[in-house]
Amino acid sequence: MAGILVVGLGPCGLAAVKECAANGLDVVGVDAAAEIGGVFRAHDDGCYEGLHLTTSNVMMAFGDFPPNDGWIKYSTKDEYAAYLKRYVDTFDLAKRLELRTKVIRASRDNGAWKVVTLSDAFDVTRDFAGLVVATGANATPKMPTCFAGFQGKITHSKDYKERSRFAGARVLVVGAGESASDIAAEIARVAKATAVWSRRPVVFAPRFPELNLTDPNHDEYATLLDSKALRVNDFLEWATTARVGSFWPVWAYGGARQLFWRLLRSDGRAPAQAREMARGALLATNGHGLRAFWQADQSQWVTKNARVCKAIAEGSVRHVVAEAVASCSGSEITFSTGERVAADAIVCCTGYGLDFSWIAADLGCDAARPRELYKHCFPPKFEDAPVAFLGLARGHQGGIPQCGELQARYAALLFAGKAALPEDLSARAAAEGAAEREYYGRSPNLEVLVDLPSYMESVARLIGCEPRVPWWRPALCVKFLFYPAWPCWYRLRGPGADEAAAMAVLDAFPLAKSLKFTPFLPLFPVFWGFQRGVNVAAFPFVRGTPGPLRPGWLGATSKHFVLHGNALRFVDLVMP
């Protein structure tokens, strides 16, 4: 019986192969495609022109494999595909990979996974001790059913490649996520008319938040094409994942965002697209009660791509906000608000569903609902059916590979017998899932959503690789507090540590050249110090593993300790 089978060779699957091999396991990785990378594979025709990642090259990099760009930037899909190829070559993973190999069925038999794969038209059945499912959250495209009667062409964003096919056409883009923002902005450059439909107002998070306040001529897309002059705290991930910010209470974290949007909305110097972004955010977060005001964007999914805001502000894209489509007739679409859009084509940026029907085993939960899995990864019956699902945790403030790498590290330790899951696995999964559902109450169907800093810290505790920076290294301590929660921080200690690789990243961004003074910078240490005092006072009452959100969670402890079982401990009061 072979060791571990990894299904899917995108970023998370590659990390799983590497981590299993590093822990002495016999591991095989398979993918139905002809090359590695998943949605980022080099020749994936499902990726569209103009695609840039929504987290930086440093945040998307594995903790023990620094990017070689030389500066912080938003990589293109092709650049990230090349990074993954270097990762495979550096760690000599190719010999463990089987491409053009599709898994047909995985079932349990006599304590083993009996897996049937199809390769070169031949079925092969093999036994494995453990299974890693890294097919990701983009398995099955979701298509809306509300356009009956529409006579134009309807496609999913998975099939969108470039804008030229829509030249001179009237186009409706459905959805308001990252792909919709890119696709609508691109199509608007050649189409006769472009509209975007979302069911509710959208919170757009700009990739370079503060430039919207300080640079009246700021253009997000133009800036990401040439970001060499920018510093670490110009990037969105600084404002959303820096440890000093994560230590704020939820009300302060959300209140700062309300202030930011209001400054943008009232600043006549700000670019029109920035004011449009602020208008959408304020509409989305108001009208839902006092808690929603102070929680702000923390109660829902945020689109980390504000490109389309410029097009909306300039009038080349029309934004329709309506709960439903009332009717379709020929080329005319009437919405529940009474608004009408004429379209020759519809592009549905409506996301994907999960399909694990090929797994024939009792897992004790529905794996297609990630909040039923412990850490979005491990089923309650892991001991009976050892399987780990990677890529089902997507950071509210980041992406999937950052979480997936830590999931892979913990899964490899479990398979190698070097770690153990909690005894009350099922109860913990249920409690953490319930807390997430309440916290992200306005995105109830997006079960992959997690609070990235808190989630990564909670998994790092299980691994034993939480970063604990010595106070006698002042420069590193400042970076620890003020730099984003990059994956490299989780390689400084514990199993799988690679301090040289981690420091290669951190040393590449010296304080003097990487941080700049901004109007918001002083708020971070002020609230951090204040909240540490609150944490000390609250510690006797809120320690232990949290279940559903406790009364007072908006301000009783730091946001860092609200979700994912990331309980406040005494050591957190002494050293963050």
Side-chain angles (χ1 to χ4, degrees):
M1 180 170 61
I4 309 299
L5 175 68
V6 177
V7 184
L9 295 175
C12 297
L14 293 174
V17 173
K18 183 260 181 187
E19 291 302 325
C20 286
N23 280 277
L25 296 167
D26 178 17
V27 58
V28 176
V30 300
D31 198 295
E35 56 187 338
I36 58 103
V39 297
F40 299 106
R41 58 185 180 267
H43 299 97
D44 178 20
D45 58 6
C47 287
Y48 49 84
E49 64 177 352
L51 171 62
H52 284 73
L53 276 57
T54 55
T55 56
S56 79
N57 56 337
V58 185
M59 183 66 91
M60 286 289 285
F62 298 118
D64 59 352
F65 192 62
N68 63 358
D69 301 293
W71 70 95
I72 186 170
K73 59 183 282 191
Y74 289 103
S75 302
T76 66
K77 185 271 295 184
D78 290 337
E79 289 170 334
Y80 191 61
Y83 170 84
L84 294 177
K85 178 63 167 58
R86 292 196 303 272
Y87 182 77
V88 169
D89 293 342
T90 300
F91 293 105
D92 194 23
L93 302 181
K95 63 187 180 185
R96 303 177 184 275
L97 310 182
E98 298 178 8
L99 299 171
R100 298 185 181 90
T101 302
K102 183 178 181 179
V103 175
I104 305 300
R105 179 180 173 85
S107 58
R108 296 293 291 168
D109 183 33
N110 293 324
W113 284 104
K114 188 172 290 294
V115 182
V116 181
T117 60
L118 177 63
S119 179
D120 296 326
F122 291 99
D123 289 352
V124 177
T125 301
R126 288 176 283 183
D127 289 349
F128 293 91
L131 187 65
V132 174
V133 179
T135 50
N138 294 340
T140 307
K142 293 180 180 178
M143 291 294 288
T145 59
C146 57
F147 294 111
F150 178 72
Q151 295 180 357
K153 186 173 179 60
I154 303 177
T155 60
H156 191 271
S157 58
K158 181 181 184 299
D159 300 312
Y160 174 83
K161 300 174 182 62
E162 41 81 27
R163 62 180 180 266
S164 61
R165 60 183 288 195
F166 297 100
R170 299 168 298 176
V171 183
L172 174 67
V173 177
V174 181
E178 278 105 12
S179 61
S181 183
D182 275 334
I183 290 172
E186 287 292 326
I187 288 177
R189 297 170 62 181
V190 299
K192 179 179 179 180
T194 306
V196 172
W197 170 41
S198 64
R199 295 185 183 276
R200 53 192 59 86
V202 183
V203 179
F204 288 102
R207 287 181 171 103
F208 312 101
E210 197 162 324
L211 294 188
N212 287 279
L213 288 175
T214 60
D215 181 3
N217 298 313
H218 165 68
D219 179 280
E220 179 175 308
Y221 189 63
T223 303
L224 68 86
L225 293 176
D226 183 13
S227 61
K228 286 186 178 181
L230 298 183
R231 303 195 181 192
V232 169
N233 55 336
D234 284 317
F235 285 71
L236 176 63
E237 62 206 45
W238 173 79
T240 57
T241 71
R243 185 169 292 265
V244 285
S246 184
F247 258 66
W248 290 13
V250 174
W251 69 265
Y253 191 90
R257 280 141 183 80
Q258 292 282 13
L259 174 62
F260 173 79
W261 290 322
R262 278 160 173 72
L263 288 174
L264 276 186
R265 186 67 175 147
S266 62
D267 187 356
R269 299 179 306 109
Q273 69 267 20
R275 295 197 299 275
E276 176 64 30
M277 177 194 70
R279 183 184 72 85
L282 291 171
L283 286 173
T285 56
N286 288 344
H288 295 274
L290 190 61
R291 179 186 123 178
F293 174 86
W294 289 110
Q295 198 178 358
D297 60 66
Q298 292 299 290
S299 63
Q300 67 178 80
W301 169 251
V302 171
T303 298
K304 299 183 287 295
N305 178 347
R307 277 191 68 190
V308 76
C309 292
K310 177 178 173 63
I312 294 172
E314 292 175 345
S316 60
V317 171
R318 174 186 172 191
H319 187 191
V320 177
V321 179
E323 281 291 334
V325 170
S327 64
C328 294
S329 178
S331 63
E332 187 172 82
I333 303 155
T334 303
F335 294 94
S336 55
T337 56
E339 292 182 83
R340 296 181 179 181
V341 170
D344 305 306
I346 297 175
V347 180
C348 301
C349 303
T350 44
Y352 298 80
L354 298 171
D355 181 10
F356 300 124
S357 58
W358 54 274
I359 301 177
D362 181 11
L363 305 179
C365 71
D366 180 1
R369 302 193 64 184
R371 286 175 181 158
E372 294 185 13
L373 299 166
Y374 181 58
K375 302 302 178 190
H376 291 225
C377 189
F378 305 101
K381 292 189 176 181
F382 179 86
E383 293 298 327
D384 297 328
V387 55
F389 293 84
L390 308 190
L392 302 185
R394 182 172 185 175
H396 179 274
Q397 313 92 329
I400 292 175
Q402 305 94 301
C403 301
E405 183 190 13
L406 283 179
Q407 291 175 328
R409 292 173 65 183
Y410 186 40
L413 292 173
L414 290 172
F415 288 131
K418 299 177 182 179
L421 285 165
E423 292 183 1
D424 55 344
L425 179 65
S426 182
R428 286 186 182 233
E432 292 180 19
E436 292 171 36
R437 290 187 187 94
E438 184 177 352
Y439 191 84
Y440 293 118
R442 283 189 286 156
S443 291
N445 298 322
L446 193 60
E447 292 213 359
V448 297
L449 201 58
V450 300
D451 180 77
L452 185 132
S454 179
Y455 178 85
M456 293 181 70
E457 193 83 3
S458 72
V459 180
R461 290 184 182 185
L462 296 169
I463 297 170
C465 65
E466 300 167 81
R468 293 293 179 192
V469 181
W471 286 107
W472 56 87
R473 300 173 69 179
L476 191 58
C477 284
V478 173
K479 292 179 182 180
F480 180 68
L481 295 174
F482 284 93
Y483 279 22
W486 291 331
C488 61
W489 289 112
Y490 301 96
R491 290 288 182 175
L492 288 172
R493 59 184 293 267
D498 189 339
E499 185 174 355
M503 292 307 300
V505 175
L506 298 171
D507 289 342
F509 297 97
L511 290 171
K513 294 182 178 180
S514 301
L515 284 183
K516 67 178 183 181
F517 179 82
T518 73
F520 287 96
L521 195 60
L523 291 175
F524 278 79
V526 169
F527 272 111
W528 174 70
F530 167 76
Q531 190 60 31
R532 282 182 65 80
V534 174
N535 288 342
V536 170
F539 176 71
F541 308 100
V542 299
R543 54 194 173 131
T545 303
L549 297 180
R550 290 193 176 105
W553 60 267
L554 273 171
T557 59
S558 301
K559 182 178 74 70
H560 195 69
F561 303 112
V562 172
L563 292 177
H564 311 307
N566 200 32
L568 181 63
R569 305 162 305 175
F570 179 75
V571 68
D572 299 309
L573 308 179
V574 178
M575 181 181 294

